[in-house]
Amino acid sequence: MLDLSLGFKNKYISLYEQIRAKILSGKIKAGERLPSKRALAEELGVSVTTVWLAYEQLLAEGYICSRERSGYFAERINSHEISPRKQSAPQKNARKEEYLCDLVNGNTPAHMFPFSTWARLMRFVLSDCGEHLLERVPCGGDPELQQALSDYLYRSRGLDIDPRRIIIGAGSEQLYGVIIKLLGRDKIFAVENPSYGKISSAYALNGAKWVAVDVGERGVNVAQLLNSGAHAVHISPAHQFPTGVVTPVSVRLKIAEWANSVGGYVIEDDYDSEFRLSGKPLQNMFGLCPSRVIYMNTFSKSLAPSMRLGYMVLPPDLYERYINLFSSSANVVPLFEQKALAAMLNGGYFERHLSRLKNYYKGIRKALLEKLALLGEECEVTDSGSGLHIIVKFPNAKSDAQIKERAAERGVNLKCLSDYLIAPRQGLECCAVINYSGLTKEILERL
Amino acid sequence: MLDLSLGFKNKYISLYEQIRAKILSGKIKAGERLPSKRALAEELGVSVTTVWLAYEQLLAEGYICSRERSGYFAERINSHEISPRKQSAPQKNARKEEYLCDLVNGNTPAHMFPFSTWARLMRFVLSDCGEHLLERVPCGGDPELQQALSDYLYRSRGLDIDPRRIIIGAGSEQLYGVIIKLLGRDKIFAVENPSYGKISSAYALNGAKWVAVDVGERGVNVAQLLNSGAHAVHISPAHQFPTGVVTPVSVRLKIAEWANSVGGYVIEDDYDSEFRLSGKPLQNMFGLCPSRVIYMNTFSKSLAPSMRLGYMVLPPDLYERYINLFSSSANVVPLFEQKALAAMLNGGYFERHLSRLKNYYKGIRKALLEKLALLGEECEVTDSGSGLHIIVKFPNAKSDAQIKERAAERGVNLKCLSDYLIAPRQGLECCAVINYSGLTKEILERL
């Protein structure tokens, strides 16, 4: 009848696919009447239901139509557009080279993460919250985590923040995207030069304009900022990456003054301020000028990069805009991780972990500085006592390329200040950026 | 000396704060010499270390400077910019009204979620993966989940997809943002009219232009699409929301032809295609024209909206662009949820859950249709056998407002087709959209 056979698949699917192929290839012509269900079932030795299911599927997809009391007919279909299914050729994923020592992409060593505590808290959340974990999370985040972060910011920084204005996000890049939506894509964002390339590329990827402003020894160049036409400036005053500069309060105040005068905003990216290894963290821009500063931070450095958890604190006017834009959206971070982090903060586990981590890094930094001291006058170390990287100048090096080559010969992956330039700039040559967040004493000894 | 007193706080912090306040208020003038550490310590009855810590903090933040062998001096600081810290006035969060029966925002009833299985899988992942859960997830997602999804799409849809081209995202809105970055913000995106408002607003929020194309009884109006100047069209051919229209294959082929001719893309948003209650899910646009279709789906309907887990399948050229743009970014979904979902798919738990859920909804739909039948000729039901909503026309109603008012009087939250218009359009009046995904028999009985 239709020259069909049924293989090992679900019979009705096999039948459906064969008839579909015949219609598409024109072997069953448009308008041609299909056999009745009973007749086809008999021919194929299958149940009428099998044929019925196949016909229903073809009907639903529009390959055939049914006319009352006359049966099923093939539809007119232009099939020349259909490409054959085939597996795409394998493509290579970007692979990183393996180094003995990576001073670029350092992640906190796994053994420093309080995994057993974290796992215990996750089990606790699972049994404690149960099916509540399935509830939709409000746009800003889980109120319990917002409260825990507000308490933590008060304890650790003396900041007194309405928890609702703390917006939970899936890491900093996702939060940058939200900021751009809040401030508007027509605005100009000033970005520090040099800086972590992901910041300017996040602005570009999200369709916002950005301009580079130089970072000097006292932070961002305020004169350049004043002339930039920018509406917002993205800075890390506590410890700039990569220069390591700590912005003094006099410059911070000038930046705040600028923001007030243009009605703009300061995006204070406090990515590693927990790691000020002596004294307490510096007072935030946010504390100086709370109505003009978006404070943001993540747990990538302090917990684990896989955590994808960050937050930002919005000034009141932006918080209102945020609610207007996003109140119908759910928060992107699973409730489970939010509850676990809240438990970690509320139970004091996070601060205990942080102080253990700071001690660990103090030791690493000391050993690193001792190692560098062996190089004698070949290098000059700049260390602001903050964060997880230092700048090492090699005054006798011929070029940045030479520094990196020599490092690579010893199995060390390294970048220089110039690698983080987002716009051309002179005078930053021969300075290596040593990110020691992934370093261990074992690796140091092998160098 | 300086008229300072130390309270209950950390002594050095209290000291630091008081000196800072005096510098900012001008009580300690720019250039004024501060007491020596020893002298101040004696006056306050604290240790020299306490004063030293406070001075170090002030020094680090730039409030004071130190000159060798002469001591510490206050810096010149413009303090009029500093706003006092205060708690912002409480702001109201958007609140939803409470209805007896919500036919707009329905979420899968909690008792239908296989929570004990999910919790068991999470515990399993926690012990099985251990510290591997801290590893950074490649931009596209965890390869194990990508493979599990590829297998699932093969089993359930007959799609044969390179797992690397399956991109994991935190729900559909986040994926829409990625698509816009891939295709470019300068492109025009055609969006179905009427449709779920979040789609067009996601394009607008991400700075992309969109145009509305009407949805008729056979899906999107292809003539309008041809004249729209669009580069991409966002459709749900399996079951359009809200019209419930299933796009027949002849129209699908025309859309594929359009995409081929303009070098554009079809964004196939398959948001509820698992819920085709009879037969298997319809063949995808993706299967018809894999090089021009971005296939996307989420687990919001099939698992839980709080899950924030979705995926999209990219055609090979867009996959390459994706790797170029995002290879240095980590995936936004925590590895933990990805592993748990992979285990759920690989263990067959997801499909078992889905079949249970479909059975449940069959019962709900039957009861709903019976209830509607009691209204007699007052209403006409359109039911395409797909998804989790139906369209009910009230030919005698005076207006959409009247339909909604009457429903509200009975405690029912309802929207009409016209509420989902994203551009003005006539002829869709008096059609209620009944989303029964949150309905239970108990609620139905009480109506």
Side-chain angles (χ1 to χ4, degrees), chain A residues 127-326:
Chain A
S127 58
D128 186 57
C129 301
E131 302 190 356
H132 289 295
L133 288 174
L134 304 176
E135 283 167 13
R136 199 169 176 280
V137 186
C139 57
D142 175 37
E144 195 183 330
L145 176 57
Q146 290 175 312
Q147 184 65 55
L149 282 167
S150 174
D151 295 347
Y152 167 69
L153 288 170
Y154 184 73
R155 282 198 304 275
S156 66
R157 308 295 175 89
L159 299 174
D160 188 9
I161 296 165
D162 179 350
R164 285 168 299 184
R165 293 202 277 117
I166 301 176
I167 310 299
I168 316 294
S172 39
E173 282 170 80
Q174 191 254 329
L175 288 170
Y176 297 160
V178 176
I179 290 174
I180 293 164
K181 286 169 192 162
L182 281 176
L183 300 193
R185 213 162 270 107
D186 53 324
K187 301 294 191 303
I188 298 174
F189 292 80
V191 181
E192 292 170 317
N193 186 29
S195 62
Y196 197 45
K198 263 187 206 164
I199 298 169
S200 50
S201 68
Y203 286 111
L205 256 177
N206 282 288
K209 276 162 274 180
W210 61 269
V211 291
V213 286
D214 290 351
V215 177
E217 278 172 21
R218 294 167 60 79
V220 86
N221 184 318
V222 178
Q224 280 183 24
L225 178 60
L226 288 170
N227 291 323
S228 67
H231 177 73
V233 62
H234 190 124
I235 54 175
S236 295
H239 188 230
Q240 205 264 344
F241 187 87
T243 61
V245 164
V246 179
T247 305
V249 69
S250 54
V251 177
R252 292 183 189 212
L253 285 168
K254 280 184 196 153
I255 297 169
E257 195 176 344
W258 163 83
N260 271 320
S261 68
V262 302
Y265 294 93
V266 178
I267 300 156
E268 181 177 25
D269 199 339
D270 218 17
Y271 71 103
D272 76 348
S273 60
E274 293 83 7
F275 294 99
R276 184 160 178 80
L277 300 184
S278 52
K280 71 180 186 85
L282 302 183
Q283 200 206 12
N284 296 107
M285 278 297 295
F286 187 81
L288 283 181
C289 180
S291 65
R292 289 284 146 209
V293 175
I294 301 168
Y295 174 82
M296 61 187 300
N297 206 337
T298 77
F299 292 90
S300 302
K301 296 267 176 191
S302 52
L303 287 174
S306 64
M307 211 60 85
R308 308 310 296 157
L309 247 160
Y311 60 94
M312 62 178 172
V313 184
L314 294 177
D317 57 333
L318 289 183
Y319 172 70
E320 273 191 35
R321 202 179 300 167
Y322 178 84
I323 291 296
N324 286 337
L325 282 177
F326 297 105

Side-chain angles (χ1 to χ4, degrees), chain B residues 91-245:
Chain B
Q91 287 154 359
K92 277 180 201 158
N93 269 327
R95 283 206 49 163
K96 275 177 198 150
E97 287 177 60
E98 291 293 333
Y99 289 95
L100 168 63
C101 168
D102 190 339
L103 299 176
V104 176
N105 307 298
N107 289 335
T108 319
H111 73 273
M112 287 306 294
F113 183 81
F115 190 76
S116 60
T117 303
W118 183 248
R120 188 158 50 83
L121 292 173
M122 284 179 121
R123 287 197 188 92
F124 163 75
V125 167
L126 211 48
S127 58
D128 187 56
C129 302
E131 303 190 355
H132 289 295
L133 288 175
L134 304 176
E135 282 166 13
R136 197 167 177 282
V137 186
C139 58
D142 175 38
E144 194 183 329
L145 177 56
Q146 290 175 312
Q147 184 64 55
L149 282 167
S150 174
D151 294 347
Y152 167 68
L153 288 170
Y154 185 74
R155 285 198 303 275
S156 66
R157 308 295 175 88
L159 299 174
D160 188 7
I161 297 166
D162 179 350
R164 285 167 300 182
R165 293 202 278 117
I166 302 177
I167 310 299
I168 316 293
S172 39
E173 282 170 78
Q174 191 254 331
L175 289 170
Y176 297 160
V178 176
I179 290 174
I180 293 164
K181 285 169 193 161
L182 282 176
L183 301 192
R185 214 163 268 107
D186 53 323
K187 302 293 191 304
I188 299 173
F189 293 79
V191 181
E192 293 170 316
N193 186 29
S195 62
Y196 197 45
K198 262 186 206 163
I199 298 169
S200 50
S201 67
Y203 287 112
L205 255 177
N206 282 289
K209 276 162 274 180
W210 61 269
V211 290
V213 287
D214 290 350
V215 177
E217 279 171 21
R218 293 168 59 80
V220 85
N221 184 318
V222 178
Q224 280 183 24
L225 179 60
L226 288 170
N227 290 322
S228 67
H231 177 72
V233 63
H234 190 124
I235 53 175
S236 294
H239 187 232
Q240 206 265 342
F241 187 86
T243 61
V245 164

Side-chain angles (χ1 to χ4, degrees), chain A residues 327-353:
Chain A
S327 64
S328 67
S329 302
N331 191 273
V332 293
V333 180
L335 188 52
F336 188 67
E337 269 76 7
Q338 298 199 41
K339 292 281 186 207
L341 180 59
M344 193 165 192
L345 287 164
N346 290 337
Y349 304 106
F350 178 70
E351 276 135 300
R352 232 169 293 163
H353 160 64

Side-chain angles (χ1 to χ4, degrees), chain A residues 13-133:
Chain A
I13 293 176
S14 171
L15 184 56
Y16 149 81
E17 285 176 350
Q18 290 183 63
I19 299 177
R20 191 183 64 186
K22 283 180 191 293
I23 294 174
L24 287 173
S25 67
K27 280 181 190 144
I28 299 179
K29 293 192 178 50
E32 188 175 327
R33 188 174 176 278
L34 271 72
S36 77
K37 286 173 282 195
R38 183 164 306 275
L40 188 55
E42 272 175 22
E43 188 191 311
L44 295 171
V46 298
S47 73
V48 176
T49 312
T50 300
V51 181
W52 177 77
L53 282 170
Y55 278 16
E56 283 296 305
Q57 190 71 30
L58 291 162
L59 203 58
E61 296 190 3
Y63 287 97
I64 62 175
C65 60
S66 99
R67 292 183 210 141
E68 225 170 324
R69 273 186 290 270
S70 3
Y72 296 91
F73 297 83
E75 285 274 20
R76 178 167 310 278
I77 286 155
N78 275 329
S79 63
H80 62 274
E81 287 308 325
I82 297 186
S83 328
R85 265 187 215 145
K86 55 167 182 267
Q87 186 85 13
S88 67
Q91 286 153 1
K92 276 179 201 157
N93 268 329
R95 283 206 50 164
K96 276 177 198 146
E97 286 178 62
E98 291 294 332
Y99 290 94
L100 169 62
C101 168
D102 190 341
L103 299 176
V104 177
N105 306 298
N107 289 335
T108 319
H111 72 273
M112 287 306 295
F113 183 82
F115 191 76
S116 59
T117 303
W118 184 248
R120 189 158 50 83
L121 291 173
M122 283 179 121
R123 287 197 188 92
F124 163 76
V125 167
L126 210 48
S127 58
D128 186 57
C129 301
E131 302 190 356
H132 289 295
L133 288 174

